[in-house]
Amino acid sequence: MIPHKIISPIFIRKEYAHLLFRTEIMRKTLLLILSAAMVLAACNQDEKEERKISIRNFSITKENAYNNLFMDSMSVADYIFMNEIPDSTARRIISFYNTRNYAYAWFSSDGVSEQAMGFTSLLNFTDDTSATLKKLRSTMHEYIGAENLNVTPSNKGILQTELLLTENLINYSKTNFKKGYVKRKEIEKFIPYVKENAIAQGDSLLAELKRQKKDFADINKPYKLLAEQLKKYLQLEKDKNWMLIDGDLKSFKQGKNSPNIAVMKKNLFLMGDMNVEDSSGLYDDYLLNGIKSFQARNGFTPDGKLSAKLIKLMNITPKERVKQLLINMNRMRWLPFEPDGKLILVNTPAFTLRVTDGKKDVFEMPVVVGKDGHNTTIFSDMLTTIVFSPYWNIPPSIVKSEILPSIQNDPSYLERNNMEITKEVNGLPEVRQLPGEKNSLGKVKFLFPNSFNIYFHDTPAKALFDKDVRAYSHGCIRLGEPAKLAAYLLKDEKGWDDAKINAAMNKGEEKFVKLSEPVPVFITYYTAWVDDAGKLQFREDIYGHDAEVTKKMFL
């Protein structure tokens, strides 16, 4: 074969631009050119797969694409040429965009996709410490945090970031997934590319899992568990045994007998909340226990009390649940792959924080997350510092919208709330709340420095943890058991025991403690998952992320 250096770079660029992107015959011609440019490769099955390029899918248009933003195919050729991308990676990039007909994967006209947020989080779990990757993370945090991101085909910064993310995804898949488990075509499906019928999409995915000897589901347990539930709900949809529960709350009382109760019993049995199939219309203990099970699986206190909201959730059809499962399976692709050591996972819709150590679950606690309009962002970073008896440096947005109006109505507001003005910047006072019982951050906060100004902290508003829905903050995450997290993080730090932690929390004097080993924090958004007991859990789509993805993903 011809050595790579003998082929003119300008010639290669022209061939990428003029041969690759037009017709299938031209695509095959480029394969010959690429073959001539490569050193002789071994002929095992994996390497043959690496050399394949997916056919360009011209059927994908702005009307049916997952993301409604398209690039000029020559942009990919320019990127490959200007960045001297290795041939094996270049083929994969071309194949990736052929599959989606050059629709953007990581951005749409609405801004950053949630897949981009997920992958940016995952990139914290790579050994790559290059300046390029560091800059990519910084750029993505800027884009994710932007209120009005200018996403158009003419925005070259967005385009370069789009292609750099794709290049990093391909490289990540080669070095971080077990060889043979995540093939080229599966990587191309990591970001949906076309709207499809949900049932057909689910059937196709399960058929693919059954057909492959090695698959991503084999190395991602949460993904595999959801795939098993997907099979169940697909069958529920096809069997057409599901019925809507009708009637008002008065017809659902213990001891009553009605056809509506029989329908509720049937549906709870189909969902697995009742162990015994019971066709009677009597409201008995079997139904009561079934209701409690459904409540627990949907994030409610399992007290057996029916509400209009609970019945509405029971009436979510199997087809809608199929969509929800597919959406969350896609999210689970961006979980850390078999992480070593300590990890803190926050699931925003579940209002929970979980600490793990390798494959071991350490503990879980309730949290309060951002209210609507102050959404807690999906991202990851490293927890580096604990601050005991913290000041609360109040963000300018809160000073402007809440503190200043309160001062105008009540001149003693600052004094009563243990606050002080430290200085004035651009006509706006900087306000902070002193350590103490009234401090909104409570007695301790945990810092994982990020551009979103999000951190963990204690709170004096303990009653909020008794609520089922806990979205009340301005974006930061309030902990139900902050002392427990502090004790866990400091257990290997010399000189820190429960007594010293308690003293530091109550001293009223701010103290910073830097961890000798930072701990990764993942802020996630799962509205469906299988818990440790094997129960399928559902949660409310508190920020409307599921609703947005549903419009993009399904016909």
Side-chain angles (χ1 to χ4, degrees):
M1 291 189 178
I2 303 171
H4 180 72
K5 290 182 180 178
I6 293 177
I7 299 178
S8 161
I10 296 175
F11 172 73
I12 292 177
R13 180 181 180 278
K14 287 181 177 178
E15 294 307 317
Y16 273 118
H18 297 294
L19 296 180
L20 174 63
F21 306 112
R22 304 263 175 110
T23 67
E24 177 59 12
I25 295 174
M26 291 178 179
R27 188 187 70 84
K28 291 179 178 177
T29 303
L30 178 65
L31 284 176
L32 297 175
I33 293 169
L34 286 172
S35 297
M38 293 292 291
V39 293
L40 184 64
C43 292
N44 63 51
Q45 191 61 39
D46 284 341
E47 287 171 348
K48 285 181 179 179
E49 169 64 19
E50 283 291 306
R51 298 181 67 180
K52 291 179 181 177
I53 296 179
S54 294
I55 298 170
R56 182 167 179 177
N57 188 347
F58 286 99
S59 69
I60 297 175
T61 65
K62 286 186 178 181
E63 285 69 36
N64 66 6
Y66 178 78
N67 285 332
N68 61 358
L69 201 67
F70 284 72
M71 68 183 72
D72 188 325
S73 56
M74 284 188 66
S75 301
V76 178
D78 287 336
Y79 179 85
I80 290 168
F81 170 68
M82 296 301 295
N83 293 281
E84 299 181 348
I85 305 298
D87 291 326
S88 59
T89 304
R91 280 196 300 267
R92 294 286 293 273
I93 293 173
I94 292 163
S95 187
F96 182 87
Y97 284 105
N98 272 353
T99 299
R100 53 196 315 111
N101 199 19
Y102 294 84
Y104 280 59
W106 309 100
F107 298 89
S108 72
S109 59
D110 296 328
V112 179
S113 72
E114 67 171 45
Q115 288 83 9
M117 295 182 192
F119 185 46
T120 301
S121 293
L122 195 57
L123 285 175
N124 279 327
F125 287 82
T126 177
D127 294 330
D128 188 344
T129 57
S130 66
T132 300
L133 189 59
K134 186 176 180 181
K135 184 178 179 182
L136 175 61
R137 289 197 197 106
S138 175
T139 299
M140 285 306 300
H141 280 190
E142 180 184 335
Y143 287 159
I144 292 168
E147 289 187 11
N148 296 300
L149 188 61
N150 177 31
V151 184
T152 64
S154 62
N155 190 323
K156 292 183 179 179
I158 295 286
L159 175 61
Q160 290 300 303
T161 304
E162 160 80 22
L163 296 171
L164 185 57
L165 282 167
T166 301
E167 181 189 353
N168 273 274
L169 173 63
I170 290 164
N171 291 334
Y172 186 95
S173 71
K174 290 178 179 179
T175 56
N176 290 276
F177 294 138
K178 290 180 181 178
K179 191 173 182 180
Y181 282 88
V182 185
K183 298 176 177 61
R184 169 182 57 85
K185 280 190 171 293
E186 183 156 16
I187 283 292
E188 290 166 9
K189 294 176 182 177
F190 264 41
I191 298 99
Y193 45 82
V194 67
K195 293 176 184 176
E196 296 180 278
N197 174 276
I199 304 305
Q201 188 177 147
D203 283 338
S204 175
L205 188 150
L206 292 180
E208 187 70 20
L209 292 179
K210 188 175 182 181
R211 186 163 52 248
Q212 298 288 352
K213 292 181 180 178
K214 295 179 178 180
D215 193 271
F216 181 71
D218 296 320
I219 59 173
N220 186 314
K221 185 180 177 182
Y223 181 92
K224 187 170 188 174
L225 290 172
L226 271 195
E228 292 167 359
Q229 295 293 331
L230 175 65
K231 182 178 180 181
K232 171 183 172 179
Y233 274 84
L234 281 168
Q235 196 59 51
L236 283 178
E237 171 63 19
K238 292 170 185 176
D239 289 344
K240 301 299 181 186
N241 289 328
W242 188 271
M243 296 175 65
L244 289 177
I245 302 166
D246 202 358
D248 56 30
L249 286 174
K250 293 179 181 178
S251 61
F252 297 97
K253 299 289 183 182
Q254 280 189 289
K256 283 207 169 189
N257 199 316
S258 79
N260 293 326
I261 291 173
V263 172
M264 182 177 286
K265 280 185 171 182
K266 182 176 183 178
N267 286 1
L268 288 172
F269 172 75
L270 291 173
M271 289 185 290
D273 292 300
M274 289 182 62
N275 297 325
V276 179
E277 188 171 12
D278 180 2
S279 59
S280 75
L282 178 65
Y283 193 130
D284 50 21
D285 287 343
Y286 290 114
L287 177 58
L288 181 63
N289 290 331
I291 292 169
K292 289 180 179 180
S293 172
F294 183 85
Q295 286 176 313
R297 289 195 310 106
N298 284 266
F300 291 83
T301 302
D303 55 13
K305 295 178 182 177
L306 274 176
S307 65
K309 183 174 182 178
L310 202 65
I311 293 176
K312 185 178 179 181
L313 290 174
M314 288 182 182
N315 275 333
I316 295 176
T317 64
K319 184 175 181 178
E320 292 305 308
R321 291 302 193 191
V322 165
K323 293 177 182 178
Q324 190 174 0
L325 291 170
L326 287 169
I327 287 169
N328 283 275
M329 287 176 71
N330 277 333
R331 288 179 181 142
M332 285 175 177
R333 296 183 187 276
W334 312 111
L335 280 172
F337 178 66
E338 296 184 353
D340 296 322
K342 298 172 184 174
L343 176 66
I344 299 172
L345 285 163
V346 174
N347 185 9
T348 306
F351 313 110
T352 57
L353 176 149
R354 170 178 285 200
V355 176
T356 63
D357 193 343
K359 294 183 178 179
K360 178 185 173 185
D361 287 329
V362 183
F363 60 81
E364 186 174 290
M365 71 174 68
V367 299
V368 172
V369 302
K371 57 189 173 184
D372 191 24
H374 296 273
N375 299 6
T376 299
T377 308
I378 301 169
F379 75 103
S380 73
D381 225 305
M382 306 300 288
L383 196 158
T384 60
T385 308
I386 302 175
V387 185
F388 293 107
S389 297
Y391 285 95
W392 180 33
N393 297 301
I394 303 173
S397 60
I398 299 177
V399 171
K400 189 175 181 179
S401 63
E402 298 180 25
I403 304 298
L404 290 182
S406 297
I407 294 172
Q408 289 175 353
N409 292 329
D410 178 8
S412 66
Y413 178 84
L414 291 178
E415 183 180 353
R416 286 192 303 99
N417 288 280
N418 207 24
M419 294 178 180
E420 64 181 10
I421 295 174
T422 56
K423 59 182 177 180
E424 192 171 289
V425 178
N426 298 324
L428 188 68
E430 285 193 355
V431 183
R432 70 177 182 177
Q433 191 172 37
L434 279 63
E437 296 295 330
K438 293 183 179 181
N439 191 288
S440 295
L441 303 186
K443 299 177 180 180
V444 61
K445 69 177 179 179
F446 304 81
L447 303 180
F448 35 104
N450 57 84
S451 57
F452 312 113
N453 198 28
I454 290 175
Y455 46 87
F456 300 147
H457 64 86
D458 182 20
T459 175
K462 304 296 185 184
L464 293 178
F465 295 104
D466 295 330
K467 296 180 179 292
D468 291 331
V469 177
R470 298 187 291 274
Y472 292 98
S473 81
H474 286 89
C476 286
I477 297 165
R478 306 176 192 175
L479 305 181
E481 300 174 88
K484 187 173 186 178
L485 181 60
Y488 176 75
L489 294 174
L490 293 173
K491 67 185 178 69
D492 297 324
E493 304 284 346
K494 187 177 180 180
W496 285 97
D497 56 19
D498 290 347
K500 187 173 180 180
I501 289 170
N502 184 62
M505 288 177 67
N506 290 282
K507 191 174 183 181
E509 182 179 313
E510 190 172 63
K511 182 178 180 61
F512 285 72
V513 180
K514 194 171 182 65
L515 300 180
S516 56
E517 291 187 16
V519 177
V521 173
F522 248 73
I523 313 295
T524 62
Y525 193 91
Y526 296 113
T527 60
W529 74 96
V530 177
D531 67 16
D532 295 336
K535 299 285 188 181
L536 177 60
Q537 297 282 332
F538 290 117
R539 292 297 184 273
E540 186 180 353
D541 179 23
I542 58 172
Y543 297 153
H545 292 341
D546 283 12
E548 289 177 12
V549 175
T550 296
K551 292 175 187 175
K552 296 170 66 174
M553 193 169 171
F554 304 111
L555 290 173

